[in-house]
Amino acid sequence: MINKVGREIPHEVLNLTGKKPYMGYLEFDNYEYVKSAPKTRAVVDPTRTKLVSSIDEALDKCDIKDGMTLSFHHHFREGDYVVNMVMERIYARGIKNLRICATSLGKAHDSLVPMIEDGTITSIRSSGVRGGIGEAISGGKLKGLATMCSHGGRVRAIESGEEHIDIAFIGAPTCDEYGNCRANGGKSDCGVLSYAMVDAQYADKVVAITDTLVPFPNAPASISMINVDYVCVVDEIGNPAKIASGAAKPTTDMRKLKMADYCTQVVINTPYFKDGFSYQTGVGGASIASTISLAEEMKRRGIKMGFGVGGLTTPMCKLLEEGLVDKLVDTQDFDLGAVESIKKNPNHIEISASEYANPFNKGAYVNKLDFVILASLEIDTKFNCNVVVGSDGIITGAQGGHPDTAAGAKCTIVIAPLLQGRIPAVCSDVTTVTTPGETVDVVVTDYGIAINPLRTDLLDALKDTKLPLKTIEELRDIAYKIVGTPDPVKFKDRVVGIIEARDGTIIDVVRQVEPVE
Amino acid sequence: MIHPNKNRLRRTMMFLNCQKPGLIKDPYIYAPDSIMLDLEDAVAENQKDSARFSLYHALQEIDYRGIERVVRINGLDTEHWREDIRVCVAGGADAIRIPKTQYASDVKTVDMAVEEAEREFGRPIGSTLLMAAIESTRGVVNALEICESSERLFGIALSGGDYTKDLQTVISGTGVELMGARQNMIIAARASGVQCFDTVFTNLDDMEGFEKEVRMIKMMGFDGKSIINPRQINVTHRIFTPTFKEIDFAEKVVTEIDEKKAQGIGVFTVNGKMIDIAFYDGAKRTIELAKASGVYEGDL
């Protein structure tokens, strides 16, 4: 069956998953449903301790068994130790057929590959996967399907009951013996625990794993004791050096500066650039440079930002310090500057992933965005973006909040260099659609800027600027002229994963990749 | 007939290493006036062949969208320069930069080899322009005869690194050691009607020093500056952008001279300044600079 973005979703995949094909980003507006709820055991006896001596004891008490769904969060990013230390103990027990529901998986979790190969892990839900796990899935080693979803889509699936978590494991930088978890203090600060908040609310069993046990009450708690079953103290939950890099430095790469300048010019020439506007941007060099140059323009014109959303970095936190933004709402910290900021600035606020981006709640922050600045591996002439599957066909990235913010923001700007090495970033058809073109408004490249023809208002607003406006087809043609027209990636028939739209429909499938000869 | 591009605008000439194909495809996005595709010092001795290969294909395949393509060939004291010239001409380079030029005869030698290559590859005779890099005290002393050595030659350029070695001093950052060479070269170039370009500024972290130097060489009369990083382009173009007052004055000069010439008047005043035909070329150049900088809205 062909969906709204022109991708064929095989009937067997629709039957297997019980899902519908993607039919447009507003299809579920006003959708009514009953929220799911976890199984809960009352703790009435005040003498009962939640502390366990080891992960093994926690697993015993959670009655871990074959076929369960286990959840993890990725605030520790490439410095995460929690996934591996839990999965190693489960592996040792010979438990099989597990589903991993993680907010994201990266190279830090390559040790899960043998577990995929031997059927310990048979299905995965994640924002995306990098490294060995991505290669294993694309190589057809996962027995079931991988579901790649957005941050908002994952929360939707959990809250609506589509995805039920048996045990949630929460890496807590600090925790007291009764389970109050905070992201700050201790040896492994990660800034916020936004993604884990929803897991803690909806999982049947919740295990907090910490390397810094603090006196009760650890308040105000990001995750409350009322949702935590067990507390396990370990030596280290993560490597702080890899959790967050140092303060993001402004780039000196002229290509990125040029794109940042274009991006700023686009922003300031739209009608949304006015006092109280809202903004989200990422961690890439061009995004950071764009934030810095936008700040200069804001000062020049006396315009202040109402709120910023993130994924936050130091430059956004500096805007807060300088009084150029009223509030920052935070789901993840990308550098130490952001981690420090939330500790000291009362207007830097931790929000849950549901508040951030869930399309099925009564309104998320992404819906209030004026601008979002995003990156993409590929963009096609229908403005569809691919942020998950590499041009070689191998799963290598994560959706994160990409489709959520693109759908919510009034002006979605995607920045990408026209060529990523020898690979055209603007192409006729993306390898895999992750963000629908109907939600992408402007594509900024080093070779010019394309505006989605659906946005006649933006075309009007920008037509008299000196910006190098081109059609998306012109950008593609320049890319193809420089490096040639790429051959399509060779895939086998077998579907190894689905790209789930934020509303739970299927926007595309990922097939097993043919080994390169 | 004067080559139509001989006097074109050349505020920035950006060096790009032909050994790195990834670099040489990109000038369009930075928009210098000219690029200097380097076969000489930036290319390792055992990579000269592959650099030529990349150069040929870049010249043939990449649409540089009006950016002038100059190639720095290897020195006449090497075994490479003849083949470099053949590849430049076969590929259709706009111009060739001769390194370490000391005598007029150096330019003449290259001129002949270029003509030979133009015949070999069916290019119009005289279509490949030349420029000479002056890198020695001898070259500075001979600047005038170098400037007058060939119809193909559109300009000379100072190469400060080698020149200061020859002078037995170092680049100080103050410019004092280059002052004599700069003065001699700009005077020779102006006297013979060719362009003159300043040396590179190598400290990329010192943008303040760079800006100061560009302001100085503009004031001295230089046509442009050699650039080693795209970061230096916008600064140079900004400094070479005429002010609205300058543009307004230049417009009046050009219009008035055209009108007064028809009326048989040689000398007159504009904004209280005495003007004659000698001001014409300067005013035209100001208009050209204003057009290139995107700030000109008139119809001259």
Side-chain angles (χ1 to χ4, degrees), chain A residues 252-258 262 419 421 445-448 466 468 470 478 481-483, chain B residues 22 25-31 61-63 65 229-232 234 293-295 297:
Chain A
T252 56
D253 181 333
M254 265 310 288
R255 181 193 309 273
K256 289 176 184 163
L257 288 172
K258 187 113 189 163
Y262 288 159
L419 301 172
T445 74
D446 38 1
Y447 281 73
K466 287 182 180 166
K470 294 189 163 50
I478 295 170
K481 198 170 173 194
I482 295 173
V483 295
Chain B
K25 73 180 187 335
D26 279 345
Y28 163 70
I29 61 177
Y30 308 123
E61 300 297 333
I62 297 175
D63 178 3
R65 296 168 171 80
N229 188 287
R231 263 191 280 165
Q232 298 175 327
N234 284 350
S293 311
V295 295
E297 288 169 356

Side-chain angles (χ1 to χ4, degrees), chain A residues 107-347:
Chain A
K107 289 176 186 164
H109 310 120
D110 278 358
S111 65
L112 267 56
V113 172
M115 303 180 204
I116 290 171
E117 289 170 342
D118 77 353
T120 304
I121 297 166
T122 50
S123 70
I124 289 174
R125 172 189 280 276
S126 177
S127 161
V129 278
R130 297 184 172 87
I133 302 175
E135 288 164 21
I137 296 169
S138 289
K141 291 177 178 166
L142 187 72
K143 288 195 174 59
L145 279 179
T147 301
M148 264 71 70
C149 58
S150 69
H151 288 328
R154 179 178 182 276
V155 177
R156 172 206 53 78
I158 293 167
E159 293 190 3
S160 67
E162 180 190 327
E163 183 78 56
H164 188 79
I165 300 166
D166 294 298
I167 311 172
F169 296 93
I170 291 163
T174 61
C175 186
D176 62 34
E177 46 87 20
Y178 222 46
N180 290 298
C181 304
R182 297 192 70 208
N184 303 133
K187 359 182 213 187
S188 310
D189 272 3
C190 60
V192 291
L193 283 171
S194 308
Y195 302 125
M197 288 177 178
V198 181
D199 296 19
Q201 277 180 285
Y202 287 85
D204 287 347
K205 301 274 173 59
V206 176
V207 181
I209 299 173
T210 188
D211 53 18
T212 308
L213 192 68
V214 295
F216 180 88
N218 189 23
S222 302
I223 289 166
S224 167
M225 59 193 174
I226 64 171
N227 290 320
V228 176
D229 292 272
Y230 302 107
V231 176
C232 179
V233 182
V234 297
D235 292 339
E236 287 178 302
I237 56 171
N239 177 356
K242 292 183 180 174
I243 290 171
S245 56
K249 284 185 194 159
T251 181
T252 56
D253 181 333
M254 265 310 288
R255 181 193 309 273
K256 289 176 184 163
L257 288 172
K258 187 113 189 163
M259 291 192 289
D261 182 48
Y262 288 159
C263 184
T264 302
Q265 290 301 316
V266 168
V267 168
I268 66 175
N269 280 292
T270 65
Y272 311 119
F273 185 62
K274 57 187 180 202
D275 214 33
F277 77 102
S278 55
Y279 183 80
Q280 178 171 341
T281 188
V283 73
S287 302
I288 287 175
S290 180
T291 308
I292 294 167
S293 59
L294 187 66
E296 293 306 312
E297 199 61 32
M298 288 161 64
K299 284 180 205 163
R300 210 169 65 78
R301 299 193 187 195
I303 285 176
K304 282 210 267 175
M305 195 185 290
F307 72 96
V309 192
L312 292 174
T313 56
T314 301
M316 284 294 283
C317 299
K318 278 193 177 155
L319 295 188
L320 185 65
E321 281 167 27
E322 290 171 18
L324 287 170
V325 54
D326 291 335
K327 282 197 169 49
L328 290 180
V329 291
D330 187 347
T331 53
Q332 189 181 9
D333 292 323
F334 287 120
D335 66 25
L336 295 173
V339 170
E340 287 308 307
S341 170
I342 197 163
K343 284 187 206 169
K344 65 182 184 195
N345 200 321
N347 287 318

